[in-house]
Short mmCIF file of all heavy atoms in Angstrom, two decimals:
data_model
loop_
_atom_site.label_atom_id
_atom_site.label_comp_id
_atom_site.label_asym_id
_atom_site.label_seq_id
_atom_site.Cartn_x
_atom_site.Cartn_y
_atom_site.Cartn_z
N CYS A 501 130.55 109.29 145.83
CA CYS A 501 130.12 108.09 146.54
C CYS A 501 129.88 108.47 147.92
O CYS A 501 130.61 109.33 148.45
CB CYS A 501 130.99 106.86 146.34
SG CYS A 501 132.58 107.13 146.99
N LEU A 502 129.12 107.67 148.75
CA LEU A 502 128.83 107.99 150.07
C LEU A 502 128.56 106.69 150.77
O LEU A 502 127.90 105.73 150.18
CB LEU A 502 127.77 108.97 150.28
CG LEU A 502 126.37 108.68 149.87
CD1 LEU A 502 125.62 107.99 151.08
CD2 LEU A 502 125.59 110.00 149.47
N ALA A 503 128.85 106.67 152.14
CA ALA A 503 128.48 105.62 152.98
C ALA A 503 127.71 106.28 154.26
O ALA A 503 128.27 107.14 154.84
CB ALA A 503 129.66 104.93 153.56
N ASP A 504 126.46 105.83 154.43
CA ASP A 504 125.67 106.46 155.44
C ASP A 504 125.35 105.26 156.52
O ASP A 504 124.59 104.42 156.29
CB ASP A 504 124.36 106.84 154.89
CG ASP A 504 123.35 107.47 155.91
OD1 ASP A 504 123.60 107.31 157.14
OD2 ASP A 504 122.45 108.11 155.55
N PRO A 505 126.12 105.35 157.65
CA PRO A 505 125.90 104.24 158.59
C PRO A 505 124.62 104.30 159.44
O PRO A 505 124.14 103.37 159.99
CB PRO A 505 127.14 104.39 159.62
CG PRO A 505 127.44 105.91 159.42
CD PRO A 505 127.16 106.29 158.01
N GLU A 506 124.02 105.54 159.41
CA GLU A 506 122.81 105.75 160.14
C GLU A 506 121.58 105.00 159.50
O GLU A 506 120.62 104.45 160.09
CB GLU A 506 122.49 107.24 160.36
CG GLU A 506 123.39 107.94 161.17
CD GLU A 506 123.27 109.40 161.05
OE1 GLU A 506 123.52 110.06 160.06
OE2 GLU A 506 122.88 110.03 162.12
N ARG A 507 121.64 104.89 158.19
CA ARG A 507 120.59 104.31 157.39
C ARG A 507 121.09 102.95 156.72
O ARG A 507 120.33 102.30 156.00
CB ARG A 507 120.03 105.20 156.33
CG ARG A 507 119.35 106.48 156.90
CD ARG A 507 119.25 107.58 155.97
NE ARG A 507 118.56 108.75 156.58
CZ ARG A 507 119.22 109.60 157.36
NH1 ARG A 507 120.55 109.44 157.63
NH2 ARG A 507 118.59 110.65 157.86
N GLY A 508 122.39 102.65 156.90
CA GLY A 508 122.91 101.32 156.40
C GLY A 508 122.89 101.29 154.97
O GLY A 508 122.44 100.31 154.33
N LEU A 509 123.36 102.33 154.22
CA LEU A 509 123.39 102.32 152.80
C LEU A 509 124.62 102.92 152.21
O LEU A 509 125.33 103.78 152.79
CB LEU A 509 122.19 102.88 152.15
CG LEU A 509 121.85 104.49 152.63
CD1 LEU A 509 122.64 105.41 151.73
CD2 LEU A 509 120.46 104.78 152.54
N GLY A 510 124.86 102.49 150.93
CA GLY A 510 125.84 103.21 150.01
C GLY A 510 125.17 103.80 148.82
O GLY A 510 124.26 103.23 148.41
N MET A 511 125.70 104.96 148.28
CA MET A 511 125.16 105.54 147.16
C MET A 511 126.34 105.92 146.18
O MET A 511 127.45 106.20 146.74
CB MET A 511 124.30 106.77 147.37
CG MET A 511 122.96 106.51 148.02
SD MET A 511 122.04 108.05 147.99
CE MET A 511 120.74 107.68 149.16
N ALA A 512 126.09 105.90 144.99
CA ALA A 512 127.18 106.43 143.98
C ALA A 512 126.52 107.03 142.81
O ALA A 512 125.42 106.52 142.33
CB ALA A 512 128.03 105.33 143.72
N TYR A 513 127.16 108.09 142.22
CA TYR A 513 126.76 108.68 141.01
C TYR A 513 127.93 108.86 140.14
O TYR A 513 128.90 109.34 140.57
CB TYR A 513 126.12 110.09 141.32
CG TYR A 513 125.98 111.05 140.29
CD1 TYR A 513 124.90 111.06 139.41
CD2 TYR A 513 126.97 112.00 140.00
CE1 TYR A 513 124.68 112.01 138.42
CE2 TYR A 513 126.82 112.96 138.95
CZ TYR A 513 125.71 112.87 138.12
OH TYR A 513 125.57 113.79 137.12
N VAL A 514 127.79 108.44 138.93
CA VAL A 514 128.88 108.59 137.98
C VAL A 514 128.26 109.15 136.67
O VAL A 514 127.17 108.81 136.38
CB VAL A 514 129.67 107.26 137.67
CG1 VAL A 514 130.24 106.71 138.95
CG2 VAL A 514 128.72 106.20 137.04
N MET A 515 129.11 109.76 135.92
CA MET A 515 128.55 110.34 134.58
C MET A 515 129.71 110.64 133.74
O MET A 515 130.88 110.67 134.13
CB MET A 515 127.74 111.61 134.88
CG MET A 515 128.56 112.90 135.18
SD MET A 515 129.52 112.78 136.69
CE MET A 515 131.05 113.28 135.90
N ASN A 516 129.50 110.97 132.39
CA ASN A 516 130.58 111.41 131.54
C ASN A 516 130.43 112.78 130.91
O ASN A 516 131.26 113.16 130.14
CB ASN A 516 130.80 110.34 130.51
CG ASN A 516 129.48 110.15 129.56
OD1 ASN A 516 128.44 110.58 129.90
ND2 ASN A 516 129.69 109.63 128.40
N ARG A 517 129.37 113.49 131.33
CA ARG A 517 129.34 114.92 131.12
C ARG A 517 129.73 115.68 132.33
O ARG A 517 129.05 115.68 133.28
CB ARG A 517 127.91 115.47 130.53
CG ARG A 517 127.78 116.96 130.36
CD ARG A 517 126.61 117.27 129.65
NE ARG A 517 126.77 117.05 128.27
CZ ARG A 517 125.77 117.07 127.39
NH1 ARG A 517 124.50 117.24 127.69
NH2 ARG A 517 126.06 116.85 126.13
N GLN A 518 130.88 116.25 132.29
CA GLN A 518 131.54 116.76 133.54
C GLN A 518 130.85 118.24 133.77
O GLN A 518 130.67 119.01 132.86
CB GLN A 518 132.94 116.84 133.48
CG GLN A 518 133.51 115.37 133.40
CD GLN A 518 135.06 115.56 133.41
OE1 GLN A 518 135.70 115.96 132.46
NE2 GLN A 518 135.74 115.11 134.54
N SER A 519 130.76 118.52 135.07
CA SER A 519 130.43 119.90 135.46
C SER A 519 131.63 120.57 136.01
O SER A 519 132.77 119.97 136.13
CB SER A 519 129.31 119.86 136.55
OG SER A 519 129.85 119.60 137.76
N SER A 520 131.54 121.89 136.37
CA SER A 520 132.65 122.58 136.94
C SER A 520 132.67 122.59 138.49
O SER A 520 133.52 123.25 139.06
CB SER A 520 132.73 124.09 136.40
OG SER A 520 131.49 124.69 136.69
N ASP A 521 131.67 121.89 139.09
CA ASP A 521 131.56 121.93 140.52
C ASP A 521 132.83 121.21 141.10
O ASP A 521 133.11 120.01 140.61
CB ASP A 521 130.33 121.30 140.99
CG ASP A 521 129.11 122.09 140.57
OD1 ASP A 521 129.25 123.34 140.73
OD2 ASP A 521 128.07 121.50 140.13
N LEU A 522 133.41 121.77 142.12
CA LEU A 522 134.49 121.05 142.80
C LEU A 522 134.02 119.77 143.51
O LEU A 522 134.56 118.78 143.57
CB LEU A 522 135.33 121.99 143.70
CG LEU A 522 136.14 123.10 142.84
CD1 LEU A 522 136.59 124.21 143.80
CD2 LEU A 522 137.38 122.44 142.17
N ILE A 523 133.06 120.04 144.33
CA ILE A 523 132.34 118.92 145.01
C ILE A 523 130.90 119.41 145.09
O ILE A 523 130.45 120.54 144.84
CB ILE A 523 132.83 118.74 146.50
CG1 ILE A 523 132.73 119.98 147.37
CG2 ILE A 523 134.22 118.20 146.41
CD1 ILE A 523 133.11 119.69 148.76
N GLY A 524 129.95 118.48 145.28
CA GLY A 524 128.53 118.79 145.46
C GLY A 524 127.85 119.18 144.12
O GLY A 524 127.01 119.99 144.04
N ASP A 525 128.15 118.32 143.06
CA ASP A 525 127.50 118.56 141.81
C ASP A 525 125.95 118.57 142.00
O ASP A 525 125.45 117.68 142.57
CB ASP A 525 127.90 117.40 140.85
CG ASP A 525 127.31 117.51 139.48
OD1 ASP A 525 126.12 117.23 139.31
OD2 ASP A 525 128.09 117.78 138.51
N ALA A 526 125.36 119.58 141.25
CA ALA A 526 123.93 119.79 141.51
C ALA A 526 123.16 118.64 141.01
O ALA A 526 122.08 118.26 141.55
CB ALA A 526 123.46 121.11 140.79
N ARG A 527 123.57 117.94 139.92
CA ARG A 527 122.78 116.79 139.35
C ARG A 527 122.81 115.65 140.39
O ARG A 527 121.84 115.03 140.65
CB ARG A 527 123.41 116.37 138.08
CG ARG A 527 123.37 117.39 136.94
CD ARG A 527 124.34 117.00 135.80
NE ARG A 527 125.68 116.99 136.27
CZ ARG A 527 126.69 116.54 135.50
NH1 ARG A 527 126.49 116.19 134.27
NH2 ARG A 527 127.88 116.43 136.01
N ALA A 528 123.96 115.36 140.98
CA ALA A 528 124.09 114.28 141.95
C ALA A 528 123.28 114.68 143.28
O ALA A 528 122.61 113.75 143.80
CB ALA A 528 125.65 114.06 142.33
N ARG A 529 123.35 115.84 143.64
CA ARG A 529 122.66 116.25 144.87
C ARG A 529 121.15 116.09 144.71
O ARG A 529 120.43 115.66 145.60
CB ARG A 529 122.92 117.69 145.23
CG ARG A 529 124.43 117.91 145.83
CD ARG A 529 124.67 119.30 146.17
NE ARG A 529 123.89 119.71 147.39
CZ ARG A 529 123.80 120.86 148.00
NH1 ARG A 529 124.54 121.81 147.46
NH2 ARG A 529 123.16 120.91 149.12
N ARG A 530 120.59 116.45 143.48
CA ARG A 530 119.17 116.25 143.25
C ARG A 530 118.87 114.73 143.37
O ARG A 530 117.84 114.50 144.00
CB ARG A 530 118.75 116.66 141.87
CG ARG A 530 118.47 118.23 141.71
CD ARG A 530 117.77 118.41 140.47
NE ARG A 530 118.29 117.84 139.22
CZ ARG A 530 119.05 118.56 138.49
NH1 ARG A 530 119.53 119.71 138.71
NH2 ARG A 530 119.53 117.94 137.29
N LEU A 531 119.62 113.89 142.92
CA LEU A 531 119.36 112.40 142.92
C LEU A 531 119.40 111.93 144.39
O LEU A 531 118.62 111.14 144.89
CB LEU A 531 120.24 111.62 141.96
CG LEU A 531 119.99 111.81 140.55
CD1 LEU A 531 121.07 111.33 139.66
CD2 LEU A 531 118.67 111.26 140.12
#
Side-chain angles (χ1 to χ4, degrees):
C501 65
L502 65 86
D504 180 347
E506 295 168 292
R507 294 160 183 81
L509 60 80
M511 293 189 190
Y513 165 85
V514 302
M515 75 300 124
N516 60 344
R517 172 168 284 164
Q518 296 182 291
S519 78
S520 60
D521 293 318
L522 289 165
I523 59 175
D525 183 285
R527 299 165 299 176
R529 291 184 68 183
R530 275 202 307 268
L531 292 168

